[in-house]
Each structure stands twice: as C-alpha cells, then as structure tokens.
Amino acid sequence: MSLRAGSHAATSTLKKIAADMSNIIESLDTRELHFEGEEVDSEVVNDPKGAVCIPFSAIYHTHGFKEPGTQTYLTGCPVRVRVLEVERFTSTKKVPSPNVYTIELTHGEFTWQVKRKFKHFQEFHRELLRYKAFVRIPIPTRSHTVRRQSIKRGEPRQMPSLPHTAESTVREEHFSSRRKQLEDYLTKILKMPMYRNYHGTMEFIGVSQLSFIHDLGPKGIEGLIMKRSGGHRIPGLNCCGQGRMCYRWSKRWLVVKDSFLLYMKPDSGAIAFVLLVDKEFNIKIGQKETETKYGLQIDNLSRSLILKCNSYRHAQWWRQGIDEFIRKHGKDFLTQHRFGSYAAVQENTLAKWYVNAKWYFEDVANAMEAAKEEIFITDWWLSPEIFMKRPVVEGNRWRLDCILKRKAQQGVRIFVMLYKEVELALGINSEYSKRTLMHLHPNIKVMRHPDHVSSSVYLWAHHEKLVIVDQSVAFVGGIDLAYGRWDDDEHRLTDVGSVKRMAAVKSVSTTNLASAVESSECVPLQSQALSPESHLFQRNADDAPDISKMKGVGKPKKFSRFSIYKHLHKHGMHHADSVSSIDSESNKGSIRSLKTGVGELIGETRFWHGKDYCNFVFKDWVQLDKPFADFIDRYTTPRMPWHDISSVVHGKAARDVARHFIQRWNFTKIMKPKYRSLSYPFLLPKSQQTAHELKYQVPEAVHATVQVIRSAADWSAGIKYHEESIHNAYVSVIENSKHYIYIENQFFISCADDKVVWNKIGDAIAQRILKAHRENKRFRVYVVIPLLPGFEGDISTGGGNALQAIMHFNYRTMCRGENSILGQLKTEIGDKWINYISFCGLRTYAELEGKLVTELIYVHSKLLVADDNTVIIGSANINDRSMLGKRDSEMAIIVQDTETIPSVMDGEDYSAGKFAQSLRLRCFRVVLGGSDLSLEHQDPVCEKFFKEVWISTAARNATIFDKVFRCLPSDQVNNLTQLRDFINKPKLANDDPVKAAEELKKIRGFLVQFPFRFLEEEYLLPSVGTKESMVPMEVWT
C-alpha cells in the first residue's frame, strides 16, 4: 500500500512540474524561443567556427535513421540553402518536361549539393504534413513519447507553405522567383528542429550521422540506394551459384567520402561495408555493363559493387556526383605511385628512427598514453605482459596489457590484428594473446588471420609490425611488441641481479616498499605500494616463478631478494611485478653504472622478466600462458641479445599506414564469419585533409620526404593484384646509389635464378659494384646479418634441418655458387671484390656466475641506408617471402632527407641528410664501439675507414672470439667431422680465464667477420625423409 501511495505522490509531483513547464513555454514569445535545448535558430549563431564538432568516435555509435535523439548536425550551427540553377530536360514522352533544381547547402565547414525536381518537393511537403499529424497522436510507445517530448516546444511555429503553381505553367522568366520560393521554403524547414531532425528531411537534403565529422573530410553525395549482394574479388566470399536467383537486393544508405565509400543499414545505422578508393576505382552505368536496369557498378581492387537506381538519369547523377567528388578530393588514391605503391610520396613529414627496442618501446608507450580515439596494432607476435619501460620502477603502469586496459577504460577503441600461426610449426600462441587482450575490456577487439584451412594459406604469414595512434602517428619497423625484443645499445648477455635505486625519481612507491622490507619483515604493506593499477590486474599464482625450483635459494647473502618474494606472497602482491623492481641488499657482481633515464642504477639489473629472458637458438619459447616463469636458466645460459630498427611517421604518411591496417581489418571482418557481428566494427580512414592537425607528436622527429611501401596480396589484404613496392624500392635505391649501401637484415636470401629464388636485390648489389669497378669509382657495400638463423638447434651438432636450410640460402646469396654476389663479382673482377663489399655479424661476451660466456647478437633489423640521404626501414627481410608481395605481408617506409648537414664523403665535402646520416652513425657507433661523434666514422667510403676501421675491427674481433671461445660458426669448420674435432678442443676461456679476460679487453664493439667457409663441404638442404624436406622450398626462401 505504501508503495502505491509513494508512486502516486511522485506522479502528481511530475504532473505539477509538467504543467508549470508548459505554462512557462506558452508564455514565451516564440521569436525568443530556442528550440531543443542547445540547438538554436540560425539567426543566433552566424559564426560556423563556433560550432561544436562531432567527435570522430561517433562512427562507433551510429543509430537507426528513424531513432529520435540522434546527433546529425553540428550543434549551434545553421544550415544555409541556395538554389543554384534550374536544368530543363526535354522528354520524348508527352508528360511535361521536368525541371531539376541544383540546391547547394552549407553547414559549418561543409558544403554539398543535391538535385531535386519540384515533384520531390511536393512529396517531401506531404510527408512532413503526415509527420506533423502523426506526432500529435499520443501513441503509447517509448520512442514516440520521446519524439513528442522533444518537439512539443516547436509546435507554435507555422509550417511554411510550398508554392502551389504547377511546374508546367511556370515560364522561364519566372524561374528566379520560383528558385527563391523553394530556397525560402527549405530554409524555414531547416530552422525548425521538429522538421530538421526528421529522417525524411535528412534524406531529402542528403545528410546522415557521418556527414559532418571533421576527420572524415569534406561531405560528398549521400542517399538511399539498392545494392546487390556479392561481387567480392576473393573466392569463397560470394554465393556459389550464378545468375539472378543467387543475388539479394537490399536498401542501403550510401555515403561518399574523399577516399572511400560506405553503405549503412537505415534501420540500425550499422556500417555494413566500406569500399576504399584505389588505382582500380571505376564507375560504370547502364544495363549492358551492370546486368541491371538503371544499374551503377563501382569497382576497386577488392570488390565490384552493383547498385540500382530508380532511373537512368538518377544513375547518371550518382556517377557524376561520385566521380567529380573523388577526382577533386581523393585523386592521390586513384593512381599507382612510385615503386607501384598504393601510397603517395608525402613531403614535409615528421619522421624518427630507432636503433634497438628500448627507445622504441618508450615512445610507443607514450604515444598510446596520449591516444584519444583509436589504437591500431598488428604484429607477427604480441606478448601482452611485456614491460614497455625498463627497468620497472612504476609497478605495472607501463606493462602493455595495463596500458591498453587503461586506455580502453578511458573510451579509446583498440583494434589488434595478430598472425594466426600454424600451431605445429610455431609456438607463439596467438590464441593466448587474443584471449588475454579480449578479457581486458570490451573496447579491445582482436582478430587473428589467416584461417589456414578455409583460406588455404598454410605457408605465408602476416609479418608487419605496426602501432598506429589516432591515425596520426604510425610506428613502422621490425620490432614486435613481444618477448625477447627489448634491448639497448649495450646488448647485455646476463640478467641475474636486481635493481638498486640510487637517485630519486617520480615514483617513490617502490623505494618505500624496498626500504620497508629491508628494515623489517613485519611491516604491513599497502596494496597500492607497487602500482595504482595492481588491483586491476589480479593474476594466478602460477605466473609467479616457482621459488623452490629456482637456483640460488640456498644462498641467502647473494640472493636476499627472495625474502621479498615471501613478503609479496604473504600480501597477495606477487602479481604486481616480478622481483626486479624491488630492492635487494645484495649488490655483488660486476658493478656498472647505467644511464637508463630513471636515475642512476647500480648492479646487475633485471630488465628481462620470465619469458622475456630468452635464447631461442638454445631453446624456443614454451608455456607462454605463464609469462613470469623463467623457461631457461639465467644462471647458466646467456640470453641472446636482439638488435633491431624501427621508425615513426606523422601526418599524411601515418594516414597511409592506417589505411593499410584498415584495409586488412575490413577484409578480415568480411572473410571470417565470426568477425561479421556488429561487435567487430568496420574501420574508416580519416581524411588526408585533416592529417596536418597533430594532437600528439613524438619528440625529436625531423622533417623529410616519406613514402609508405608494402608487400600485400589477395590472401593478406583482399586485393586483386599483388603489390611488391618494397622490393621495387630496394632495387631502385641500390641501382641509383652513388657512394655506399649499408644493410642490416635478419636474412640475406636473394640472387634470382628464376627457379628457386626470384627477388633481384642481390643481383642489383653485384651489378652496382661492377658498374663502380668499370667506372673506376669507389663504392662500398656493408652487410650485417645474424651469424646464425633464428631457429632452435644445437649448432655444435650441425644445427638442425631448419637452421641449415636457411644457412644454405644465405651462403648461396653471399658466396657459394655462380649466382652468388661474390660468384658474379669474381667472374669479372677476381679478388678485387674485397675493396667493395663486406659481410659481417655481431657477437658479444660477458661473465656469468664467474664464468666467461659468449653469444651472437641476433640481427633482426630490416634496414637499408644509402648515400647518407635515403633510408628504408620496415618489416621486410631480404628474401622472397617478404619481397615478392604474394607471400608474407609486410610494411616499410622509404625516407629521403630534405634537411641536410655538412659532412664528408670519399674525402670531399658532402651535404648529408639529417635522418639518414644520424641513423648510420648510430648503427656504426653500436657495432664498432666509440661515440656518435667519432670522426673516423664520418666518411663511410674513404679507404681509411673501410679498411682500417671497419674490416680490421671485424677481423680482429673475430680472431679474439675464436681464440678465447672457439665460436661457431667458424671458418675452421668445413664439414661435420671437423665440427666434432673443433668443439672437443680446449678453450682459452676455460683453461686460462685471466688471460682470456685480457684478450677480450682488446675487442671493440660487436662487429665480427662473417665466416664464409663454415660447413662449405656439406649439403645443407634438408635430406630426403626428414619432415623439413616435405615442406615446399618457398618456405625457406
């Protein structure tokens, strides 16, 4: 009873308030009335700059066209109307000839045109009258009630009248007054929110929820149209049958933007397809071309879309409207660009390079933190639990999954595309990565591709590594956000100690925790002591390393950090961070002060947590679902350092990178049935016209000319013709280089024989050297590749079939056989090749638990620098998989300097590019030792540098390593019998560690000569009967 009484009281109160409100509204002068809250009459706001923009994120919140309360127009901004011209059409039929009015509308920064006949105005007017009557009927539905409430205040306005004179009786001289009448009629309608917000009005003037979004660029033609199903270029996406019976026709709202078209479902507002403008973009009309009466066919590289209009003239208007608009605003997308790329050459682009992942990860983390709308990520492999800033001094704040969760909670949309591996062949566990990320927040969407069975793609991979923020900042390069990648210029082999903080930094919390633990075991810990986010991310106890199994538990002095572990377990905080960010009393081992950007750190710091500490030639990753458990013993096995290169670009070039991601995302969405749901939205490319409006900028970037290049094909991006612009760019840069080429690459498989290997990079290098020799000019080629391919295998027993297969093709390119670079050179110039080209690898050494150890540095870079003015950085290896376009998908940029600095080349003054030269000098400094300002590195062509610095450093380092460690690969081992003898001989490192340490002091940098003769007497391709021999040869090349 009391409930009913309470509700009755509430209702009567509401009625009172409603009555009061209606009295107030009725007593207002209608001329002063502001309709619909914020919306105001067009007389009030005349300044379009004052209009409030519709955020770009509105594309993810579209509603059905008839739903009330949908924001279509800019708040506080009038729609201006001008009837520009009248076209008279003569008709062969006996009906009166119709007049077509071209109406120009302006709303804020947007201007567009529609063509309407007088009969369209009459139909529109009748519809508005019906709507006015309908609104007065109190139908008891929620949506109708909302509609009535929103427009009640507009009732006092009289609906404007339409001229009554029939069109046929209007003489030509009266057209201007008829134009004025229609202009006034439409202007009055659009001033009245009741009618302006009616879906019939929006249809009449050709606007939708996507019309006035600033970042989508200028407004093109829009309208309702019938579209036919099918027409996709990719087999399997269309109906199996042929002919009319198999097609479905659906009513859709077509929207034309400067670089794409899309259509929406009017009932739900869902974006149902996006068609990008590209070099194949073409529009045809007519029954013959389209097999449809009044048909309109729009083609691009991915689809042939057929639309149906209601007359031939209507189809012509559409064709003309789309064609003129795209040619005016999107002409860059209609042509193929240099090197056959989809992307134009973008001048005055801000760009920055990265050598090694430390600085790359930091800048990626900061850019993600600054994201406002979208983050796009695609990787060959992604590990959610990696730390982006190290050493870890702020708990989990900069762990990748925590950053993404934080941004998703702030409303940023995050889209991730992962390569779906063949599980038998690779252990990267993309399924775990997807599951982990998707559980963080509904705003994070993850797709995996390809489905090997349905797409019949078993051999190829998505290999590009991209992070794109708000389609304005794009990171492009060779570094996956994954385990094993983080490294700095020191390329450490060991990581057994803990961080000792020596200087105050922003986060005091870890220091407090550390000192609390040191002083007393029973101090209660605050759950936030490590990180404000620690409670967001509860993890299972399995993720913490199993202490009982770890070495060093019984050595309390040396490994006092384990007492802290007990403390963490006691307080349920072991998930917040691994041991390394917490202090330790022990500070033994090689003491070395590191400038890490977070104050001075002393001790052997733990930078690599759990699975991040790896040596994949020794052992491949296992149990990736337990990220913080070690899988190799860091007290006996050195890690394998990781040398890599990446870059970032801004503005138009970043838009181009985003466009590639969008193309792949939208293709995968259509391709895989599970992604067709609305929870995986279609992505829309932002306009190039707004690309200069950078809300965030990576520090220390320089201006240069940049072009985005890629390897893409039907299976990877859904396009009709494959693209191999990276291959074309490499060959072109090598052929046109004047002084030198510097290459760092994970593979070196080239020199086409048109049977097994097809890419032409090796041949271009050989021909360029021969040209220099014929012209008697100096020319240098530097090639740095890993000493061994990155496959698990014990090199002391030969390395295994996969490792040997890659070695075979690397050697076949460099020095074995007549097709090899040295083979081609020796035929013409004999041993003089040594003056032109040098092949090297990288190696380093350290002391681990009192024992000298060595390991190769894994070169994962994909870099070419030429003449200190041109650079290619990307994800593409020098092999057929990456270069041919039809195989792995890849992404790269070519940067040409516009800002120059005085330098020296071949002993003469030279204008070197800022971007290219600084990158080359940093690479030289890392591999040769020394500083960025080493004068001897300045001139990469002169005899002194090439012979006395580069070649002599590589030779000396290789000799010392050989003497101390008897390293593999080695020139002293030509077959497997010699290999067995070689490894059984004593090593100086074991026999006389003191003398060995003295020898190692003579090493400079990491550079070592590449051993050309290693296993040269063995046949390295997989032998018949092995599982590797059953794999097609293209897998290795």
Side-chain angles (χ1 to χ4, degrees):
M1 193 65 199
S2 60
L3 275 174
R4 199 175 296 167
S7 65
H8 181 73
T11 315
S12 60
T13 314
L14 285 171
K15 278 182 180 167
K16 265 186 188 168
I17 294 167
D20 290 348
M21 288 300 288
S22 53
N23 289 338
I24 292 166
I25 288 166
E26 275 163 22
S27 64
L28 279 172
D29 182 343
T30 53
R31 282 168 302 187
E32 295 169 356
L33 192 57
H34 284 194
F35 294 97
E36 277 217 0
E38 327 104 46
E39 293 212 59
V40 294
D41 256 359
S42 53
E43 285 89 1
V44 179
V45 177
N46 285 319
D47 177 17
K49 287 174 192 164
V52 178
C53 287
I54 299 173
F56 182 76
S57 55
I59 67 168
Y60 300 117
H61 306 290
T62 51
H63 302 284
F65 286 21
K66 293 184 181 179
E67 283 181 35
T70 305
Q71 182 174 8
T72 300
Y73 304 97
L74 302 171
T75 307
C77 187
V79 182
R80 305 192 181 285
V81 183
R82 282 172 64 214
V83 179
L84 295 183
E85 56 176 358
V86 187
E87 294 171 71
R88 284 206 90 138
F89 288 97
T90 50
S91 170
T92 49
K93 297 174 187 168
K94 293 192 175 171
V95 293
S97 55
N99 299 326
V100 177
Y101 297 90
T102 301
I103 305 157
E104 183 183 83
L105 298 112
T106 307
H107 184 49
E109 62 183 300
F110 302 93
T111 300
W112 71 104
Q113 292 183 355
V114 293
K115 289 180 188 261
R116 298 286 179 261
K117 298 176 188 171
F118 184 62
K119 72 168 186 182
H120 295 140
F121 275 93
Q122 290 174 312
E123 286 162 8
F124 173 52
H125 189 67
R126 281 196 292 273
E127 195 181 342
L128 288 180
L129 289 171
R130 276 197 301 275
Y131 173 61
K132 185 178 178 182
F134 167 70
V135 163
R136 288 182 170 169
I137 305 165
I139 303 168
T141 65
R142 186 173 165 272
S143 61
H144 192 72
T145 311
V146 169
R147 194 179 287 117
R148 290 189 59 183
Q149 284 168 347
S150 68
I151 57 184
K152 244 182 184 161
R153 289 181 285 162
E155 289 275 351
R157 279 290 173 102
Q158 191 60 42
M159 189 166 159
S161 57
L162 197 63
H164 296 299
T165 336
E167 185 80 341
S168 51
T169 59
V170 178
R171 295 210 185 106
E172 210 150 317
E173 57 269 25
H174 296 146
F175 274 157
S176 60
S177 63
R178 167 57 67 100
R179 266 174 28 202
K180 186 81 181 77
Q181 287 170 334
L182 294 177
E183 209 171 273
D184 291 347
Y185 169 77
L186 206 49
T187 301
K188 282 176 186 166
I189 290 288
L190 291 172
K191 279 182 185 175
M192 302 163 88
M194 168 179 174
Y195 300 124
R196 181 174 62 195
N197 293 331
Y198 175 51
H199 68 88
T201 310
M202 296 185 203
E203 194 182 315
F204 184 78
I205 63 169
V207 300
S208 69
Q209 298 154 68
L210 301 180
S211 297
F212 306 119
I213 295 173
H214 175 68
D215 269 333
L216 286 180
K219 178 178 163 16
I221 185 170
E222 295 183 39
L224 281 173
I225 205 147
M226 298 297 288
K227 74 95 194 168
R228 192 170 89 176
S229 61
H232 298 280
R233 304 259 185 236
I234 302 305
L237 284 184
N238 301 315
C239 180
C240 53
Q242 288 296 320
R244 290 181 186 173
M245 298 299 288
C246 290
Y247 296 128
R248 284 188 325 278
W249 287 95
S250 319
K251 190 187 242 187
R252 296 289 180 261
W253 181 267
L254 187 67
V255 177
V256 179
K257 291 291 181 184
D258 57 358
S259 73
F260 67 95
L261 281 64
L262 66 85
Y263 56 73
M264 303 163 79
K265 294 180 178 176
D267 52 348
S268 66
I271 296 169
F273 186 71
V274 178
L275 185 135
L276 298 179
V277 173
D278 56 36
K279 64 180 182 182
E280 285 285 292
F281 186 80
N282 186 27
I283 310 167
K284 299 179 192 144
I285 56 170
Q287 176 122 20
K288 193 175 165 192
E289 274 84 4
T290 62
E291 304 166 7
T292 307
K293 194 178 184 186
Y294 312 138
L296 180 78
Q297 180 174 319
I298 305 174
D299 290 302
N300 78 344
L301 284 167
S302 306
R303 190 175 181 185
S304 188
L305 177 64
I306 293 188
L307 308 169
K308 186 160 58 178
C309 305
N310 40 23
S311 69
Y312 182 70
R313 190 175 292 140
H314 189 215
Q316 272 188 316
W317 287 343
W318 269 107
R319 180 176 74 171
Q320 187 186 350
I322 297 171
D323 203 52
E324 285 177 4
F325 186 76
I326 299 284
R327 285 190 192 290
K328 182 179 177 186
H329 297 288
K331 62 177 185 296
D332 262 1
F333 300 98
L334 291 166
T335 53
Q336 183 168 287
H337 297 280
R338 183 179 64 166
F339 310 129
S341 172
Y342 76 104
V345 178
Q346 308 292 4
E347 293 176 354
N348 205 27
T349 299
L350 280 169
K352 179 181 178 179
W353 50 257
Y354 299 93
V355 177
N356 296 318
K358 172 185 164 67
W359 298 275
Y360 174 73
F361 275 15
E362 279 184 17
D363 274 3
V364 167
N366 291 334
M368 284 179 177
E369 194 61 36
K372 296 285 183 283
E373 293 147 356
E374 298 169 325
I375 297 172
F376 300 158
I377 302 172
T378 181
D379 274 330
W380 178 80
W381 182 23
L382 183 144
S383 311
E385 297 86 3
I386 57 160
F387 289 95
M388 303 293 283
K389 295 188 181 186
R390 307 184 196 187
V392 180
V393 289
E394 288 184 82
N396 279 340
R397 179 170 174 76
W398 297 109
R399 205 169 83 185
L400 179 59
D401 50 4
C402 296
I403 299 172
L404 295 179
K405 181 173 183 174
R406 183 162 67 244
K407 294 314 291 183
Q409 287 170 336
Q410 291 168 15
V412 173
R413 296 288 182 132
I414 296 161
F415 302 98
V416 182
M417 272 192 293
L418 300 176
Y419 162 55
K420 186 177 182 180
E421 74 282 12
V422 180
E423 284 169 37
L424 292 170
L426 278 171
I428 56 178
N429 203 342
S430 61
E431 201 268 332
Y432 167 77
S433 301
K434 176 181 177 179
R435 194 173 64 243
T436 306
L437 292 173
M438 291 282 277
H439 282 162
L440 295 175
H441 196 275
N443 275 352
I444 300 175
K445 299 290 176 209
V446 185
M447 285 184 181
R448 296 193 302 152
H449 186 260
D451 267 347
H452 304 282
V453 179
S454 64
S455 65
S456 68
V457 176
Y458 292 96
L459 307 180
W460 315 133
H462 285 298
H463 194 242
E464 64 249 61
K465 299 99 171 55
L466 308 174
V467 178
I468 303 145
V469 174
D470 293 339
Q471 299 191 36
S472 298
V473 178
F475 295 86
V476 181
I479 307 177
D480 287 302
L481 302 179
Y483 294 133
R485 272 59 177 172
W486 190 94
D487 214 330
D488 59 17
D489 294 351
E490 294 187 38
H491 290 314
R492 298 172 189 80
L493 288 184
T494 64
D495 190 33
V496 294
S498 62
V499 173
K500 182 81 177 170
R501 309 271 323 286
M502 296 305 289
V505 292
K506 280 181 203 166
S507 164
V508 193
S509 52
T510 29
T511 336
N512 294 345
L513 171 63
S515 51
V517 173
E518 276 172 14
S519 57
S520 159
E521 281 269 42
C522 53
V523 175
L525 294 176
Q526 295 299 315
S527 63
Q528 267 80 23
L530 269 178
S531 141
E533 260 105 23
S534 56
H535 62 283
L536 299 176
F537 221 84
Q538 302 290 328
R539 285 216 156 267
N540 301 330
D542 341 344
D543 287 353
D546 182 348
I547 294 157
S548 61
K549 288 181 190 161
M550 288 180 80
K551 292 203 169 189
V553 176
K555 309 171 189 167
K557 275 186 190 165
K558 198 161 186 182
F559 296 98
S560 62
R561 64 181 179 281
F562 290 111
S563 63
I564 295 162
Y565 240 95
K566 284 177 202 158
H567 224 106
L568 290 177
H569 272 280
K570 216 183 286 177
H571 294 272
M573 282 180 58
H574 55 274
H575 63 272
D577 194 0
S578 49
V579 156
S580 58
S581 59
I582 300 156
D583 222 326
S584 134
E585 290 156 30
S586 143
N587 195 24
K588 291 182 182 166
S590 56
I591 293 181
R592 158 197 295 201
S593 166
L594 300 167
K595 290 197 171 70
T596 53
V598 290
E600 292 286 290
L601 297 162
I602 291 191
E604 291 192 82
T605 52
R606 178 161 297 190
F607 289 99
W608 294 274
H609 303 243
K611 296 290 183 293
D612 217 0
Y613 185 92
C614 56
N615 186 323
F616 43 91
V617 174
F618 172 75
K619 184 182 180 183
D620 217 338
W621 282 272
V622 289
Q623 289 188 307
L624 290 168
D625 53 342
K626 296 183 178 175
F628 298 115
D630 282 8
F631 75 112
I632 57 175
D633 185 348
R634 58 176 84 213
Y635 300 97
T636 58
T637 308
R639 67 178 284 275
M640 185 168 282
W642 190 279
H643 182 76
D644 218 333
I645 306 281
S646 198
S647 67
V648 64
V649 292
H650 299 70
K652 288 186 174 182
R655 291 274 203 272
D656 288 334
V657 179
R659 191 179 185 81
H660 167 78
F661 181 95
I662 288 164
Q663 184 173 44
R664 267 193 55 202
W665 177 275
N666 291 348
F667 163 63
T668 309
K669 176 174 164 58
I670 298 164
M671 190 76 184
K672 290 183 68 167
K674 69 157 91 167
Y675 299 139
R676 287 181 198 158
S677 78
L678 290 178
S679 67
Y680 283 85
F682 277 102
L683 302 182
L684 305 183
K686 289 186 177 180
S687 171
Q688 289 284 24
Q689 296 195 11
T690 61
H692 61 280
E693 300 167 13
L694 295 177
K695 295 181 182 73
Y696 177 79
Q697 195 177 308
V698 175
E700 296 164 20
V702 299
H703 289 277
T705 298
V706 174
Q707 185 184 15
V708 177
I709 46 184
R710 66 176 178 171
S711 292
D714 51 1
W715 79 264
S716 58
I719 52 178
K720 187 162 73 169
Y721 307 119
H722 77 278
E723 181 176 322
E724 53 179 300
S725 48
I726 302 177
H727 183 204
N728 297 337
Y730 260 84
V731 172
S732 170
V733 169
I734 291 164
E735 286 175 348
N736 295 305
S737 57
K738 303 273 191 298
H739 303 283
Y740 80 89
I741 302 160
Y742 176 74
I743 288 173
E744 285 184 11
N745 210 286
Q746 182 188 0
F747 292 89
F748 199 63
I749 299 173
S750 187
C751 296
D753 56 10
D754 294 347
K755 289 196 282 288
V756 183
V757 179
W758 299 83
N759 81 77
K760 305 277 193 294
I761 292 168
D763 303 295
I765 291 170
Q767 290 310 309
R768 181 63 192 86
I769 290 172
L770 290 173
K771 181 184 173 209
H773 182 75
R774 289 179 204 124
E775 293 172 355
N776 199 22
K777 287 188 177 165
R778 273 205 188 126
F779 187 78
R780 313 290 189 192
V781 179
Y782 303 90
V783 180
V784 179
I785 60 172
L787 290 165
L788 288 172
F791 289 87
E792 185 181 329
D794 183 359
I795 194 64
S796 64
T797 60
N801 290 320
L803 201 135
Q804 287 189 1
I806 301 294
M807 274 166 54
H808 165 85
F809 286 109
N810 277 341
Y811 278 125
R812 182 202 155 281
T813 306
M814 290 187 283
C815 56
R816 294 183 191 169
E818 58 191 33
N819 280 327
S820 69
I821 292 175
L822 296 195
Q824 292 181 48
L825 295 179
K826 282 174 181 173
T827 310
E828 191 165 326
I829 62 175
D831 284 343
K832 289 184 182 166
W833 64 266
I834 203 157
N835 296 320
Y836 295 98
I837 188 163
S838 160
F839 293 97
C840 293
L842 304 178
R843 179 176 283 286
T844 188
Y845 67 93
E847 188 183 319
L848 178 60
E849 298 288 282
K851 189 179 166 200
L852 286 171
V853 289
T854 183
E855 188 53 270
L856 63 90
I857 294 169
Y858 193 63
V859 178
H860 189 259
S861 326
K862 298 95 177 51
L863 167 72
L864 182 146
V865 185
D867 298 342
D868 277 2
N869 58 25
T870 306
V871 176
I872 299 176
I873 294 173
S875 65
N877 294 315
I878 295 179
N879 59 12
D880 280 1
R881 289 188 67 118
S882 289
M883 290 294 169
L884 294 187
K886 295 176 184 176
R887 301 186 182 181
D888 290 2
S889 66
E890 306 285 3
M891 201 76 189
I893 58 165
I894 174 166
V895 181
Q896 286 161 307
D897 271 299
T898 48
E899 296 181 10
T900 59
I901 41 179
S903 184
V904 183
M905 187 75 72
D906 198 8
E908 294 179 12
D909 289 346
Y910 185 76
S911 288
K914 247 188 191 176
F915 185 94
Q917 194 199 41
S918 58
L919 171 55
R920 195 236 334 140
L921 287 174
R922 168 60 60 85
C923 291
F924 278 13
R925 188 204 83 185
V926 170
V927 302
L928 291 165
S931 75
D932 273 347
L933 302 170
S934 296
L935 288 173
E936 57 182 6
H937 298 171
Q938 198 74 18
D939 183 344
V941 178
C942 69
E943 200 78 359
K944 186 174 191 299
F945 173 77
F946 186 67
K947 297 272 174 70
E948 295 173 30
V949 178
W950 185 269
I951 287 176
S952 84
T953 301
R956 183 177 63 245
N957 288 351
T959 307
I960 296 168
F961 275 121
D962 217 31
K963 186 175 171 184
V964 174
F965 295 107
R966 299 185 69 73
C967 307
L968 290 172
S970 165
D971 272 335
Q972 296 174 43
V973 178
N974 307 140
N975 55 47
L976 292 173
T977 316
Q978 289 179 0
L979 178 63
R980 279 188 289 277
D981 297 343
F982 184 80
I983 55 174
N984 289 327
K985 284 183 183 165
K987 300 176 185 172
L988 187 62
N990 296 345
D991 295 355
D992 189 349
V994 178
K995 190 176 178 199
E998 281 302 308
E999 285 291 324
L1000 290 171
K1001 283 180 185 167
K1002 298 175 193 164
I1003 282 180
R1004 292 284 168 270
F1006 306 119
L1007 200 69
V1008 291
Q1009 254 176 352
F1010 203 89
F1012 283 157
R1013 302 186 59 201
F1014 182 60
L1015 296 182
E1016 66 180 357
E1017 292 166 21
E1018 297 291 335
Y1019 181 72
L1020 295 175
L1021 284 179
S1023 48
V1024 179
T1026 59
K1027 69 175 191 288
E1028 285 85 1
S1029 69
M1030 294 151 81
V1031 174
M1033 205 61 89
E1034 301 100 280
V1035 168
W1036 312 113
T1037 62

